[in-house]
């Protein structure tokens, strides 16, 4: 029982209406793995420079995350992103991106990592994602995330990668952009027609929804009064989703499992945005996770009223 | 047991990616009343010109809607709106607005209408809304809708009207604009602080949510592959909401009632957008309403998985 995630491990500099941080732990694989670690064993495949030290590795190790496949390039510098959020916290303004060692990232998976049960291909170049997929022996479930950049410059490759995964995780703008279809239900059908059995659509402050061939499920976002820093929300969402699924020790992944996992993803996303980077997840407890899961139930439950028009 | 609605009764000319109509029955009070008529008795207060004939009145009468308080101005012309929707169906482009007899609309309520149980003030000038509120004897529940125009040019008056109603129905852009607060949860708190016991936020393709002092409820939009014409979705939503509540013959309106009503609103909104104007509602059956209500349940239900992190 283990989930492997391949993606960026990085430093971020962030500014939001609520404060700033000059250099904090970031990257999609980081946020995914910390979120997933509350549910199952996690192995990270990534690359960092020698500016990535014991303090950073300690964050992973304190959560029991295996970092044996995080390559450390001597003399190199880690991926660095500087961003700013203004009042509309749904839009990240990129001020600076330094790919550094990430520019030539060639994911290398150890034997243990290849034997993972679940594999998540975080947002990296889609050829690389496919290469990782091929390195894995026989994962029970493979997911991917992507971004507008790859839809723009590597659409064909992304489509090929989508064809070999089970779960696609994208935000609604990416779903529309990839399919060139403004209606989300039609767009979802087109993505599922490529092969995946599930599409998770992240909708920021509106929550998330899960499309499968014959079902639709939707969960709102947790109604936070302060979104401190939205960075990593999508990665924590995916981490909660795949982490929960892996913990179920099934290989069937029923609709019921996928829905529960979608809610776990939303729970983890709702926590990570409560503080900078993954600072909130670093002090999160299982009690808090359980309580918020129950709050999601309370936010969405309703009963059939005794109305004539509904009696039929 | 009756709900009174005050608002526009009009003709619309519409163009969407799926077709066009030169002159169809429109107006907020029209869409509200037809939607509500599936649940309870409805009385409409409005004004039309003598271009509004038997065919138009027949639509109301066929649904048992009382139109005694729809004033017909001899020699006048009815309110007319010409609009267009492009691929992004969430944005209505106004091509032409002729207020006509609606410009000097002074709602006059008959004794029967004043004695309604529930009152809905559809989107009209907020001073007029307050005037209608004062004409009513002792309604059990009063709701209002509004729009960006009134927030822009009559904000103070709108605030006064919000102070004397129980349920505010706005879309999320209007909630943010009225409160000048980008975070929806904080914005909702500010509106509830003015007095209303509930705020319904319409979120178009993302569904709707219900804020009360100590609870939050959210329901997705029905995942339609074709939104034929979104005109009137918000009015049908309000009609389903207040129609259901009136049918419950309670004066308490518990959280459970408000939630069921929010879902009924979403059901009616999901139907009206399936065809031009309210053509879909005119051929709608109670069986279809009941079935879609159950589909909303299926779209939102999930169970707690057997995960260690959630056992606490």
């Amino acid at each position: 029982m283990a989930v492997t995630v391949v993606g960026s491990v990085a430093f971020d500099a962030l500014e939001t209406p609520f404060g700033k941080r000059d250099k904090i732990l970031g990257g999609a694989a980081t946020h995914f793995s910390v979120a997933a670690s509350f549910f199952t064993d996690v192995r990270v495949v990534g690359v960092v420079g020698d500016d990535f030290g014991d303090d950073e590795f300690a964050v992973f190790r304190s959560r029991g995350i295996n970092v044996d496949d995080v390559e450390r390039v001597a003399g190199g510098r880690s991926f660095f992103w500087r961003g700013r959020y203004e009042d509309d916290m749904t839009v990240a303004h990129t001020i600076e991106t330094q790919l550094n060692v990430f520019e030539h990232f060639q994911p290398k998976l150890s034997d243990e990592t290849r034997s993972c049960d679940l594999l998540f291909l975080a947002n990296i170049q889609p050829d690389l994602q496919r290469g990782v997929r091929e390195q894995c022996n026989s994962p029970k479930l493979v997911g991917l995330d992507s971004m507008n950049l790859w839809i723009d410059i590597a659409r064909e490759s992304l489509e090929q990668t989508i064809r070999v995964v089970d779960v696609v995780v994208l935000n609604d703008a990416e779903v529309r952009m990839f399919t060139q279809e403004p209606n989300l239900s039609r767009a979802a059908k087109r993505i599922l027609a490529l092969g995946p059995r599930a599409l998770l659509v992240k909708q920021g402050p509106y929550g998330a929804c899960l499309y499968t061939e014959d079902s639709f499920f939707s969960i709102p976002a947790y109604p936070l009064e302060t979104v401190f820093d939205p960075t990593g929300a999508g990665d924590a969402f995916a981490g909660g989703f795949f982490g929960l699924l892996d913990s179920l020790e099934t290989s069937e992944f029923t609709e019921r499992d996928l829905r529960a996992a979608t809610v776990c993803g939303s729970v983890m996303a709702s926590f990570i945005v409560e503080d900078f980077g993954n600072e909130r997840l670093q002090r999160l407890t299982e009690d808090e996770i359980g309580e918020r899961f129950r709050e999601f139930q309370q936010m969405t439950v309703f009963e059939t009223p005794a109305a004539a028009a509904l009696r039929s």
Side-chain angles (χ1 to χ4, degrees), chain A:
Chain A
M1 178 176 102
V3 52
T4 288
V5 56
V6 183
S8 59
V9 177
F11 287 113
D12 287 346
L14 295 167
E15 200 174 326
T16 84
F18 304 100
K20 58 184 293 193
R21 289 286 190 282
D22 286 331
K23 191 183 179 190
I24 55 172
L25 187 57
T30 305
H31 298 313
F32 177 99
S33 61
V34 174
S37 72
F38 285 90
F39 301 94
T40 192
D41 292 336
V42 190
R43 304 183 72 97
V44 183
V45 180
V47 64
V48 294
D50 55 14
D51 53 349
F52 205 87
D54 291 343
D55 287 354
E56 288 74 33
F57 281 115
V59 171
F60 294 88
R61 294 200 174 108
S62 72
R63 294 280 337 140
I65 299 164
N66 185 299
V67 288
D68 292 352
D69 286 7
V70 176
E71 186 187 356
R72 195 155 174 269
V73 178
R77 293 180 64 80
S78 303
F79 182 56
F80 175 77
W81 180 71
R82 182 186 295 277
R84 191 179 63 230
Y85 297 91
E86 294 173 1
D87 276 350
D88 179 358
M89 301 283 275
T90 61
V91 183
H93 302 274
T94 292
I95 298 168
E96 186 184 357
T97 302
Q98 298 176 11
L99 290 175
N100 297 332
V101 296
F102 198 61
E103 188 171 0
H104 302 291
F105 179 37
Q106 291 292 338
K108 287 177 270 300
L109 280 67
S110 60
D111 287 345
E112 293 87 339
T113 301
R114 285 168 200 258
S115 304
C116 60
D117 295 309
L118 268 63
L119 171 66
F120 186 67
L121 307 163
N123 169 35
I124 56 174
Q125 208 282 340
D127 292 335
L128 290 185
Q129 290 180 315
R130 228 161 37 253
V132 171
R133 171 70 189 83
E134 285 156 14
Q135 286 185 56
C136 282
N137 301 331
S138 51
K140 294 191 290 185
L141 198 77
V142 181
L144 75 72
D145 186 11
S146 192
M147 72 183 293
N148 51 3
L149 173 69
W150 308 123
I151 300 173
D152 219 19
I153 68 171
R155 198 201 167 283
E156 274 310 302
S157 173
L158 176 58
E159 181 172 324
Q160 286 180 51
T161 311
I162 288 176
R163 287 182 185 278
V164 296
V165 303
D166 307 293
V167 180
V168 171
V169 186
L170 293 172
N171 69 40
D172 46 4
E174 290 158 355
V175 168
R176 291 193 177 92
M177 185 181 171
F178 178 76
T179 59
Q180 302 201 338
E181 167 58 60
N183 178 287
L184 202 59
S185 297
R186 286 173 189 243
K189 249 190 181 168
R190 289 203 195 164
I191 288 177
L192 294 178
L194 297 176
R197 55 169 297 199
L199 169 66
L200 280 168
V201 184
K202 300 174 285 183
Q203 301 178 309
Y206 298 108
C209 54
L210 166 71
Y211 290 89
T212 58
E213 193 188 346
D214 51 11
S215 185
F216 170 80
F217 172 67
S218 174
I219 188 84
Y222 187 77
L224 290 168
E225 288 190 29
T226 302
V227 173
F228 208 86
D229 168 19
T231 313
D235 306 311
F237 173 78
F241 181 89
F242 287 93
L244 186 277
L245 284 185
D246 193 50
S247 79
L248 296 179
E249 299 192 51
T250 171
S251 49
E252 211 185 327
F253 305 114
T254 62
E255 174 75 22
R256 188 171 76 166
D257 298 337
L258 296 175
R259 287 184 175 208
T262 304
V263 181
C264 282
S266 302
V267 166
M268 300 313 288
S270 78
F271 280 120
I272 199 172
V273 302
E274 289 185 343
D275 204 341
F276 276 111
N278 61 34
E279 293 173 12
R280 180 68 180 91
L281 298 193
Q282 289 175 39
R283 60 176 191 272
L284 185 65
T285 66
E286 292 197 349
D287 276 359
E288 290 175 310
I289 293 174
E291 191 184 325
R292 190 153 294 181
F293 190 95
R294 288 186 291 277
E295 285 186 84
F296 271 95
Q297 268 168 331
Q298 285 158 16
M299 275 157 43
T300 55
V301 71
F302 61 94
E303 294 165 45
T304 307
L310 299 170
R311 253 171 231 148
S312 49

